[in-house]
């Protein structure tokens, strides 16, 4: 079956992006944002249109998913729904659009921080000071204790928004909470209340110990052994 031309403006940017991947990149092919923008110079949101293809089952990896890719590269791994065919472009209900009111509520509830890496909208990544930080809202698949699958919204940065789509088993996490000792639950409760994890003096000391040369580490080992006697 002959594919429609990706250069046909009547098809819409997302459909054209899908056809461009099929015709110009091919499955397991690598492309860059620069190449994508060169192909669609009239569409300033073409990056977003490509990301939206994932909602239709298309697999497009970034350097976060595939460490062999450079930061500016993406890999078209597998085709999803053939959205250029009438009826194939509709989304499941849980993947429909997020309203501005929903988006604002989620961002505010998450204190405008990415729930995966903790970066804020005005903060720099440690390993990428020149990279722009954009916060968005992602849908997270959550398996409830009764086995029901629901989709909940969370804040994610431009780096983490892909991994935010990974399924989360709430029952597994609740079981881990139930296995904590009373003291551990108290510590966790403090972290939850403050929405941050403070490092204790013992953890700080362990971190410093790990940076020491071998002879200096042995002095610490001896000091700990002496204190047990």
């Amino acid at each position: 079956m002959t594919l429609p031309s990706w250069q046909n403006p009547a098809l819409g940017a997302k459909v054209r992006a899908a056809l461009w991947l099929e015709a110009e990149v091919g499955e397991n092919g690598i492309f860059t944002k620069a190449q994508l923008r060169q192909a669609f110079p009239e569409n300033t949101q073409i990056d977003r249109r490509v990301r939206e293809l994932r909602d239709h089952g298309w697999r497009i990896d970034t350097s976060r998913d595939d460490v062999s890719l450079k930061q500016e590269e993406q890999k078209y791994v597998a085709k999803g729904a053939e959205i250029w065919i009438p009826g194939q472009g509709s989304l499941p209900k849980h993947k429909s659009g997020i309203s501005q009111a929903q988006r604002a509520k989620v961002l505010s509830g998450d204190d405008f921080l990415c729930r995966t890496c903790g970066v804020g909208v005005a903060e720099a990544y440690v390993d990428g000071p020149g990279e722009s930080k954009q916060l968005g809202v992602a849908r997270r698949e959550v398996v409830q204790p009764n086995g029901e699958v629901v989709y909940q919204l969370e804040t994610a940065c431009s780096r983490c928004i892909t991994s935010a789509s990974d399924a989360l088993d709430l029952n597994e996490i609740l079981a881990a909470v139930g296995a904590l000792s009373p003291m551990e639950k108290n510590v966790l409760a403090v972290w939850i209340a403050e929405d941050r994890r403070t490092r204790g003096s013992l953890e700080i000391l362990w971190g410093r110990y790990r940076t020491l040369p071998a002879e200096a580490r042995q002095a610490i080992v001896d000091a700990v052994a002496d204190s047990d006697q």
Side-chain angles (χ1 to χ4, degrees):
M1 181 178 178
T2 303
L3 294 177
S5 171
W6 66 268
Q7 296 177 316
N8 182 356
L11 294 176
K14 183 163 61 175
V15 171
R16 290 178 62 202
L19 290 167
W20 179 78
L21 288 173
E22 277 287 278
E24 303 296 329
V25 180
E27 289 194 4
N28 292 314
I30 294 173
F31 65 98
T32 65
K33 288 184 177 181
Q35 291 172 324
L36 182 61
R37 291 167 183 167
Q38 185 177 11
F40 300 91
E42 76 287 353
N43 195 313
T44 58
Q45 298 294 316
I46 195 61
D47 295 353
R48 179 177 295 180
R49 301 291 85 84
V50 169
R51 288 198 300 271
E52 290 172 352
L53 289 174
R54 296 188 177 101
D55 291 336
H56 297 273
W58 290 61
R59 181 178 167 189
I60 302 166
D61 287 356
T62 65
S63 57
R64 185 178 178 86
D65 309 300
D66 184 341
V67 295
S68 69
L69 296 174
K70 297 177 181 177
Q71 188 170 334
E72 69 274 11
E73 292 178 332
Q74 297 184 64
K75 185 176 183 179
Y76 167 35
V77 180
K79 179 179 67 175
E82 297 178 338
I83 60 174
W84 52 86
I85 298 176
Q88 295 294 311
S90 58
L91 287 172
K93 184 178 180 181
H94 69 270
K95 291 185 177 180
S96 58
I98 299 171
S99 69
Q100 283 298 107
Q102 286 178 304
R103 185 177 185 276
K105 182 178 180 180
V106 173
L107 290 171
S108 176
D110 288 338
D111 293 325
F112 297 92
L113 298 173
C114 173
R115 300 310 298 179
T116 299
C117 71
V119 72
V121 68
E123 297 176 347
Y125 293 117
V126 174
D127 59 346
E131 186 178 347
S132 61
K133 275 62 66 182
Q134 296 180 346
L135 294 181
V137 174
R139 289 181 174 85
R140 191 71 179 270
E141 181 180 326
V142 180
V143 181
Q144 301 284 72
N146 63 0
E148 179 187 3
V149 177
V150 299
Y151 292 86
Q152 300 176 357
L153 302 178
E154 69 177 6
T155 302
C157 70
S158 51
R159 278 192 182 183
C160 298
I161 199 160
T162 301
S163 60
S165 61
D166 295 342
L168 181 155
D169 189 340
L170 185 58
N171 196 50
E172 181 182 331
I173 299 175
L174 289 172
V177 171
L180 296 176
S181 68
M183 183 182 70
E184 290 172 324
K185 286 182 179 179
N186 288 336
V187 173
L188 180 61
V190 172
W191 292 348
I192 291 172
E194 297 180 353
D195 199 24
R196 66 188 180 93
R197 175 179 178 270
T198 52
R199 297 175 65 201
S201 58
L202 190 60
E203 287 182 293
I204 294 172
L205 184 57
W206 166 252
R208 296 185 66 184
Y209 165 79
R210 292 285 293 172
T211 66
L212 299 175
E215 293 181 5
R217 291 200 307 274
Q218 186 58 50
I220 303 301
V221 171
D222 294 341
V224 172
D226 289 343
S227 65
D228 290 336
Q229 297 176 359

